[in-house]
Amino acid sequence: MPEPLIEIKNVKKTFDGNQVVKGMNLDVYKGEFLTLLGPSGCGKTTLLRMLGGFLEPDEGEILLEGKSLTGIPPYKREVNTVFQSYALFPNLNVRENIAFGLKMKKLPRKEIDEKVQEIIEMCQLEMLANRKPSKLSGGQQQRVAIARSLVNAPKVLLLDEPLGALDLQLRKQMQISLKRLQRKLGMTYVYVTHDQEEAMVLSDRIVVINNGQIEQIGTPEEIYGKPSTLFSAQFLGESNFFTTEDGSELSVRPEFLKIYTSFSKEIQGALPGKISETVFMGPFSRICVELEDGKKVFALEPSGMNDYAAEQSVFVYWNPEDSVHIKKQEK
């Protein structure tokens, strides 16, 4: 395993008596796209702000390349942050906005021009270089904000829900651009979002956070396919849960739940129920089945595969290898 670029060691943070970060431990590796995923108020943005130097931990330590960041202000850290609000200078054009940080470092004019031109081309901003922010779309402004952070060649780029203000189609386009740029530069991104789909599309690894604590760390495939906690299974994608005799849970994703219109020996253990609702979702339909005990479960089937009638009696079944056993958590 390579040496971590960032080490977060037992970091805690409290606001007004409420501990929002509860002893987090996390390593971030050079060149990876790491996403902090969780609901609003779970502590992910607080953790990001501590990485950026905008907050200091109450306890614990954050290291960058083995050196403590304690007491080092944001402008002295080799870390840049991109926020949801673009914070561009309205009186400066795109080129001048990108160059601003380099000018503050008092670099030679020629070096500034070369660095700015390189990042403008990399971020595909050539046609916009002389425009003021008021003449740019939301997506274009966000690209400028990212370019302004990248031109300083930080060791880590922190992104706090940077696409949250964009509409769905533009957000998807920007996701592709962000990932492409990160791969091209080989840069380390730490990205905050509450959007599960966005996390799965962008990330090399995902850190699922809930109530100030890390629930699970893994690749998108690992967390979706093998959630280790009930929260991970519920938050990343949809799942059906069935309580076992020992009080733990079986998680079955909707795509693995099969619906049969008649019982056969091949589906011993199938649960009887009735069709409650069918929702068309383009290539797939989401089918709700109400079991005999009143519990509702969901299956995904290709649209048009079956024409179920409301209240139709059916059986639901899943292959054991398609379920994930989630151990009962100690309180």
Side-chain angles (χ1 to χ4, degrees):
M1 200 72 176
E3 287 293 316
L5 179 65
I6 295 173
E7 297 169 82
I8 297 167
K9 297 185 173 183
N10 196 34
V11 164
K12 300 178 183 178
K13 188 67 182 177
T14 300
F15 294 111
D16 300 324
N18 178 35
Q19 193 174 47
V20 296
V21 175
K22 303 175 180 179
M24 286 192 189
N25 291 282
L26 175 65
D27 290 339
V28 183
Y29 298 97
K30 185 176 180 180
E32 78 169 329
F33 198 126
L34 183 90
T35 296
L36 308 178
L37 175 68
S40 297
C42 72
K44 59 188 186 296
T45 293
T46 298
L47 181 61
L48 195 82
R49 291 179 69 82
M50 287 190 283
L51 284 169
F54 302 101
L55 294 171
E56 285 287 340
D58 296 332
E59 295 182 40
E61 192 173 28
I62 298 173
L63 308 176
L64 177 62
E65 292 187 323
K67 297 178 182 177
S68 176
L69 294 177
T70 302
I72 298 176
Y75 66 91
K76 288 189 175 181
R77 297 188 180 200
E78 293 183 277
V79 172
N80 275 17
T81 306
V82 178
F83 298 102
Q84 189 177 118
S85 58
Y86 315 123
L88 301 178
F89 298 109
N91 58 318
L92 303 181
N93 65 26
V94 168
R95 189 179 297 276
E96 292 164 339
N97 261 285
I98 295 171
F100 184 81
L102 300 178
K103 288 181 177 179
M104 292 298 99
K105 292 181 177 179
K106 302 188 185 301
L107 295 181
R109 177 62 184 269
K110 183 181 179 183
E111 186 178 349
I112 291 175
D113 289 345
E114 288 174 353
K115 287 178 179 289
V116 170
Q117 185 59 34
E118 181 184 10
I119 208 71
I120 281 176
E121 291 174 4
M122 198 171 288
C123 294
Q124 300 177 336
L125 293 167
E126 298 98 317
M127 303 296 291
L128 309 174
N130 296 316
R131 292 189 193 178
K132 297 282 181 67
S134 61
K135 302 298 183 182
L136 303 176
S137 68
Q140 290 167 342
Q141 289 185 50
Q142 190 58 283
R143 277 160 57 201
V144 176
I146 291 167
R148 187 177 60 182
S149 293
L150 292 174
V151 79
N152 291 302
K155 287 193 165 68
V156 183
L157 186 64
L158 309 176
L159 302 108
D160 188 7
E161 307 226 27
L163 310 183
L166 306 180
D167 63 54
L168 180 61
Q169 186 175 2
L170 186 54
R171 195 158 70 238
K172 288 183 180 294
Q173 292 172 1
M174 284 297 296
Q175 288 170 3
I176 295 169
S177 296
L178 269 176
K179 187 70 171 178
R180 176 187 59 79
L181 197 57
Q182 188 258 345
R183 285 282 181 256
K184 189 172 184 178
L185 293 169
M187 184 169 285
T188 306
Y189 281 13
V190 179
Y191 192 94
V192 160
T193 186
H194 63 270
D195 187 314
Q196 302 98 316
E197 182 181 335
E198 187 169 86
M200 287 197 281
V201 167
L202 290 173
S203 312
D204 296 318
R205 287 194 302 154
I206 296 172
V207 182
V208 181
I209 298 175
N210 179 39
N211 193 28
Q213 296 176 308
I214 293 173
E215 291 271 340
Q216 187 173 358
I217 303 171
T219 65
E221 295 82 3
E222 287 169 346
I223 294 179
Y224 184 83
K226 296 182 179 179
S228 61
T229 71
L230 198 59
F231 180 84
S232 290
Q234 290 171 323
F235 194 77
L236 197 74
E238 186 177 30
S239 201
N240 299 297
F241 296 98
F242 301 91
T243 305
T244 62
E245 291 182 359
D246 66 357
S248 57
E249 300 280 346
L250 277 182
S251 169
V252 183
R253 298 292 187 185
E255 60 268 30
F256 295 129
L257 196 69
K258 309 300 180 186
I259 298 176
Y260 294 85
T261 54
S262 60
F263 186 78
S264 67
K265 289 187 290 186
E266 287 74 29
I267 55 171
Q268 292 290 339
L271 303 175
K274 60 184 178 180
I275 299 293
S276 174
E277 184 182 40
T278 299
V279 178
F280 176 74
M281 300 175 65
F284 291 93
S285 290
R286 183 175 184 266
I287 301 146
C288 176
V289 176
E290 183 176 340
L291 303 179
E292 286 187 337
D293 62 1
K295 179 185 180 70
K296 290 185 177 181
V297 296
F298 300 91
L300 283 179
E301 290 187 352
S303 294
M305 189 176 86
N306 288 293
D307 186 18
Y308 297 112
E311 303 293 311
Q312 179 179 351
S313 293
V314 293
F315 295 88
V316 297
Y317 177 77
W318 63 92
N319 291 318
E321 60 267 26
D322 291 330
S323 64
V324 177
H325 186 265
I326 299 174
K327 292 181 180 178
K328 189 176 181 180
Q329 291 177 277
E330 298 295 330
K331 293 186 178 179

